[in-house]
Amino acid sequence: SGARQAPWAAAAVLLGLAAATALVVLVRALAAQRTSVAPQLCAAPPRGVSAAEVGYIVDSCADDRDLFALVDEFAQQGLLEAKGSEDRPEVVLHKKADIPQTAPDYQRTFFQALFGKKQEFSFAHAGERFAQKLAEAKTQLAQHFDGENKLYQPGTAAASLVLPLLAAGLFLAGMVLAGGLLLAGGTALGAVSGACALGAVLVAHFGVYRWRFAARGTRLAFSIGAGLLLLCAAACAFFASLTALLPMWAVLGAAALVLAAAVLAPRFVKPTAYNNEISAQLLGLREYIEQDAAAGGKLTPEQGWALLPYAYVFGMTEEFCARFEADTAPVWYLCAWGWGLHGPAYMGHAMH
């Protein structure tokens, strides 16, 4: 009995700290002003914003797709061309000119990753050097959004993750101790409840960066995932409270505050004015591309090729290119099997 009661004080302190931290999160979240962004329908990307930068803005993450979109941009700038023959069934990039020194660091690094001192490159034979340069270019792309191009106001993004994680971590530790340690069932349920709370915090946090540009299915997946984690955390907390060393109201009260904080913490992630302005234009551009694809294609091929890198980072390559015939291939695409839907789809597959 004495051994079983020993952890109750520590459990009370931990759950109290968890509740207090969650309360701070809730106050900040409810006081935060939300900004909505309406799409500004436009037929061209924002001036001076590359497809790689658009890819980063979409999900606040520099990934391979963002850099690979530059291949189409480099081709349209006359820096390279894509070739492929029947006896060599792969897309080979051929260097046509050097990239200007005025180009952003991440673009010059990626161009160096493609060619280095060589005149041609194939994704099928990319080696360790390419992987290292690609990683460097992704780091530089993320750094591009510092200073005046920052997407979120300083401190808000970090606080929206650190504070609810701290609350959930304290809640996890408190729930384990509240189970009495010697009651395996109660301890396990408390641990599961705290772990699910941590998972809900992470899903909500990373979901907020993708929400603006996420498709309906992606939003539904985030919502269902977070909902299931919250439901599991609440259910386990309830059953753990039945045998806990602390009063049921204390356990369930702390659980309610922590789970509410997990849901509402993303509210005080505050986008910058630059983020709101550029996002409105990009949402409008994506809507324009979607409308053009749905209408069967009102764009000329030349207009379409200019937007191809942006359709690529939006994940709309096939829908966007399906309406173009093989004889409308861009001048930089010199593969024997033609263009049409096969060209961009094959290039995308080769780059991945």
Side-chain angles (χ1 to χ4, degrees):
S1 175
R4 182 172 180 269
Q5 292 177 1
W8 78 266
V13 170
L14 289 170
L15 290 181
L17 290 174
T21 306
L23 193 58
V24 171
V25 173
L26 291 175
V27 170
R28 286 194 59 177
L30 294 175
Q33 294 182 348
R34 301 292 293 168
T35 56
S36 59
V37 173
Q40 298 178 7
L41 195 63
C42 53
R47 185 182 300 274
V49 179
S50 73
E53 293 168 26
V54 171
Y56 185 88
I57 294 170
V58 164
D59 57 10
S60 295
C61 178
D63 52 34
D64 293 352
R65 176 186 290 271
D66 302 338
L67 275 302
F68 291 165
L70 292 174
V71 171
D72 291 332
E73 287 197 0
F74 290 159
Q76 292 170 27
Q77 295 169 14
L79 302 180
L80 61 82
E81 62 185 11
K83 292 184 178 180
S85 60
E86 295 292 352
D87 59 344
R88 191 177 181 183
E90 61 181 281
V91 176
V92 179
L93 305 180
H94 291 259
K95 180 179 175 181
K96 300 293 291 181
D98 292 323
I99 188 169
Q101 290 300 309
T102 54
D105 290 345
Y106 70 88
Q107 293 190 19
R108 288 187 281 112
T109 299
F110 182 65
F111 195 81
Q112 182 70 16
L114 293 175
F115 297 110
K117 297 181 179 180
K118 299 181 180 179
Q119 293 299 309
E120 67 176 43
F121 173 82
S122 169
F123 284 98
H125 300 96
E128 182 63 26
R129 175 191 159 279
F130 173 77
Q132 292 175 351
K133 283 290 185 181
L134 180 63
E136 181 182 348
K138 288 191 285 189
T139 299
Q140 292 172 338
L141 175 59
Q143 292 172 344
H144 181 77
F145 290 93
D146 292 333
E148 62 181 16
N149 293 333
K150 191 177 290 292
L151 298 180
Y152 298 95
Q153 292 190 6
T156 60
S160 72
L161 176 63
V162 173
L163 288 177
L165 274 182
L166 177 60
L170 291 169
F171 177 71
L172 170 60
M175 288 298 291
V176 170
L177 292 179
L181 296 181
L182 299 181
L183 292 179
T187 301
L189 286 172
V192 172
S193 179
C196 288
L198 286 170
V201 169
L202 293 174
V203 171
H205 177 76
F206 291 108
V208 73
Y209 295 112
R210 294 161 172 78
W211 196 260
R212 276 184 176 175
F213 293 91
R216 182 176 301 175
T218 304
R219 291 186 175 187
L220 183 62
F222 270 111
S223 300
I224 291 176
L228 290 175
L229 288 169
L230 292 170
L231 181 62
C232 180
C236 289
F238 172 76
F239 288 110
S241 70
L242 298 177
T243 58
L245 299 179
L246 298 176
M248 179 181 287
W249 64 264
V251 174
L252 296 184
L257 288 172
V258 169
L259 296 182
V263 173
L264 295 179
R267 282 179 56 89
F268 55 84
V269 175
K270 193 169 184 180
T272 60
Y274 170 79
N275 189 347
N276 289 331
E277 178 183 356
I278 211 75
S279 292
Q281 297 178 51
L282 293 179
L283 287 169
L285 177 64
R286 188 178 68 174
E287 187 175 321
Y288 177 80
I289 293 173
E290 289 174 341
Q291 290 178 358
D292 180 74
K298 298 179 181 178
L299 296 173
T300 65
E302 291 74 18
Q303 293 172 320
W305 308 146
L307 292 180
L308 178 58
Y310 300 90
Y312 178 67
V313 295
F314 285 139
M316 302 165 58
T317 308
E318 293 190 4
E319 300 94 317
F320 186 64
C321 295
R323 61 197 183 280
F324 293 126
E325 300 298 333
D327 58 358
T328 61
V331 295
W332 49 265
Y333 187 82
L334 305 174
C335 294
W337 49 78
W339 182 254
L341 175 60
H342 187 63
Y346 192 94
M347 281 191 64
H349 175 73
M351 289 190 290
H352 279 84

